[in-house]
Amino acid sequence: MGLSVMFNATAAGDGGGCLPMPIVAAEVALAVIDASISAAAFVQLARIHKHDLQNGWTRQKIFHFMIGLCNIVFVAYFVSTIVATCEKWLCWVHGCGFVLMASPQILLLASFLLLLSFWVDLCHQTSDEDEEDVASHHEALLDRTKNKPGICAVDLRRRCCSGVQLGSRQKFVILVLLLSFVVTIAFAILIWVGRGENPIDSSLLKRVYLDVFSVVVIVLGGALACYGASLFSKMSKVRSETGSSEKRKVASLAAVSLICFSSSAILALVTNVPVLLYWYSTDADIIYNAAILFMYYFIGSSIPSGFVLWVMRDIPHRQTVERPTHSRVVTLFRDRPSITQDPQWRTAVTSSNKALKSSPI
């Protein structure tokens, strides 16, 4: 179908080796879209950070940074593809272009893996975590009754280090991110070596990488859909003012992830468009290839990135107003538990309140 040719800058086209105009138009359109998404992500990140200076790197800030970063790299890739093809950069054809193509996809994959890790944490909260919360709550009550000289330093440290707490699943995501870049660089080195007279087939290596990555993306989309449905079911049993809004966010984000990731991965498996260029035998082939290229990146990266920003668009509430109320609630719980409530009941309430206050997004 014209998609089995290796990434080759000398593929026929108008303009002395440059990409044909329909493909250039698709690349430019994708660059403009991703540049807009990246700008929106960083502008919103600045607004959130200015509004919430007391907290550190919250989930909302991390996702905005990751989405902005991966879309900047996408822009660099699209622009470099146009320039490198016309200038016939040897490094671009035999490895550098492959690394720059894979990098934003890995960053986007890591962003949604991070989202999945938070959802898994919420769906698999254990009683041990609740007991730790109750124990820390009692320690806080005891600390308030004792005038320790270092308590101000402890409070200051908690304020400065507040934000996302990295659990074992989040650390696993970071490990996957690092290993993905290592594997990508290893493939790029093999592709570079395969340009000479040797048994290494660079085109085959690119297809293998694309197939494996596409399968991972399909699995990620399915996992987000499954845990999104499970989290939606759990949230449906809890009534709160923000519950319905959060449920809609979870459901819509899970659906968009499943549809977009599955569609783009299947498109990549069928056409091999992300890592291969094409023979331009007819004008119809050029237009077809440009349409496939645009659909793959727009569905697989632009739509999920933009949707995440839309879901996380709300500015967090300032916490300065909540602190006096929180201290009064602690005092009330201190006076009455031994008479009317047993420890198991308080543990259940603590777990329920934590699930209500922590947004799954």
Side-chain angles (χ1 to χ4, degrees):
M1 184 62 82
L3 299 177
S4 60
V5 186
M6 191 180 75
F7 191 125
N8 191 350
T10 61
D14 299 334
C18 294
L19 292 171
M21 285 307 299
I23 293 183
V24 172
E27 300 264 2
V28 170
L30 289 168
V32 171
I33 293 172
D34 289 341
S36 302
I37 294 175
S38 178
F42 284 117
V43 169
Q44 185 70 354
L45 174 61
R47 290 181 58 205
I48 294 172
H49 183 68
K50 183 179 179 180
H51 188 85
D52 191 19
L53 292 173
Q54 297 175 350
N55 288 328
W57 281 93
T58 61
R59 282 180 294 180
Q60 190 179 24
K61 295 178 183 179
I62 289 176
F63 281 120
H64 277 80
F65 176 78
M66 293 286 289
I67 295 298
L69 179 61
C70 76
N71 279 275
I72 280 182
V73 184
F74 268 123
V75 173
Y77 168 69
F78 294 135
V79 174
S80 298
T81 300
I82 299 173
V83 176
T85 306
C86 289
E87 299 295 330
K88 298 180 176 60
W89 293 351
L90 183 63
C91 175
W92 181 265
V93 177
H94 298 294
C96 298
F98 176 80
V99 174
L100 193 56
M101 176 213 68
S103 297
Q105 294 179 335
I106 293 174
L107 290 172
L108 185 65
L109 178 71
S111 301
F112 281 85
L113 276 176
L114 190 63
L115 176 64
L116 177 62
S117 70
F118 289 127
W119 284 7
V120 172
D121 286 340
L122 289 175
C123 290
H124 296 284
Q125 285 180 347
T126 62
S127 58
D128 293 338
E129 293 175 351
D130 295 332
E131 291 175 0
E132 291 176 0
D133 292 335
V134 174
S136 62
H137 175 71
H138 286 304
E139 290 177 1
L141 290 177
L142 291 175
D143 289 341
R144 292 175 63 87
T145 60
K146 299 178 181 179
N147 295 324
K148 295 183 179 180
I151 192 170
C152 295
V154 173
D155 290 341
L156 181 61
R157 191 183 304 114
R158 288 177 180 174
R159 293 176 185 177
C160 295
C161 300
S162 60
V164 173
Q165 296 180 355
L166 293 180
S168 59
R169 295 183 179 92
Q170 287 74 47
K171 293 177 182 178
F172 176 76
V173 172
I174 296 175
L175 179 61
V176 170
L177 177 62
L178 296 177
L179 289 178
S180 299
F181 277 111
V182 171
V183 171
T184 299
I185 294 174
F187 267 84
I189 293 173
L190 291 175
I191 291 170
W192 178 268
V193 174
R195 79 189 192 281
E197 297 293 334
N198 53 63
I200 300 178
D201 187 349
S202 298
S203 179
L204 179 60
L205 287 174
K206 293 173 183 178
R207 291 193 191 99
V208 170
Y209 178 90
L210 175 63
D211 292 345
V212 173
F213 188 84
S214 299
V215 171
V216 172
V217 169
I218 291 176
V219 172
L220 174 61
L224 284 169
C226 292
Y227 277 100
S230 176
L231 189 58
F232 180 86
S233 177
K234 291 178 181 294
M235 295 175 66
S236 299
K237 301 175 183 178
V238 180
R239 294 184 178 181
S240 65
E241 296 179 355
T242 60
S244 59
S245 175
E246 296 298 328
K247 285 189 295 183
R248 286 194 298 268
K249 290 179 181 180
V250 170
S252 59
L253 190 52
V256 168
S257 300
L258 177 63
I259 295 172
C260 291
F261 288 158
S262 300
S263 301
S264 63
I266 292 173
L267 191 63
L269 290 171
V270 173
T271 64
N272 292 327
V273 65
V275 295
L276 306 176
L277 277 183
Y278 335 95
W279 291 111
Y280 307 125
S281 56
T282 63
D283 291 340
D285 290 337
I286 296 175
I287 296 175
Y288 172 80
N289 293 333
I292 293 295
L293 179 72
F294 181 84
M295 289 173 58
Y296 172 77
Y297 284 107
F298 182 73
I299 295 175
S301 63
S302 300
I303 292 180
S305 298
F307 193 78
V308 167
L309 295 183
W310 182 79
V311 168
M312 297 185 176
R313 67 190 183 278
D314 296 334
I315 300 294
H317 297 290
R318 295 185 184 274
Q319 295 187 350
T320 54
V321 180
E322 297 178 358
R323 286 176 184 171
T325 304
H326 179 69
S327 63
R328 295 192 188 110
V329 172
V330 169
T331 304
L332 289 175
F333 272 104
R334 184 188 168 197
D335 290 337
R336 298 181 58 186
S338 60
I339 301 174
T340 60
Q341 303 164 0
D342 72 24
Q344 293 181 353
W345 186 89
R346 282 181 290 141
T347 301
V349 171
T350 303
S351 177
S352 176
N353 287 341
K354 183 172 69 173
L356 288 174
K357 292 180 181 178
S358 61
S359 171
I361 309 296

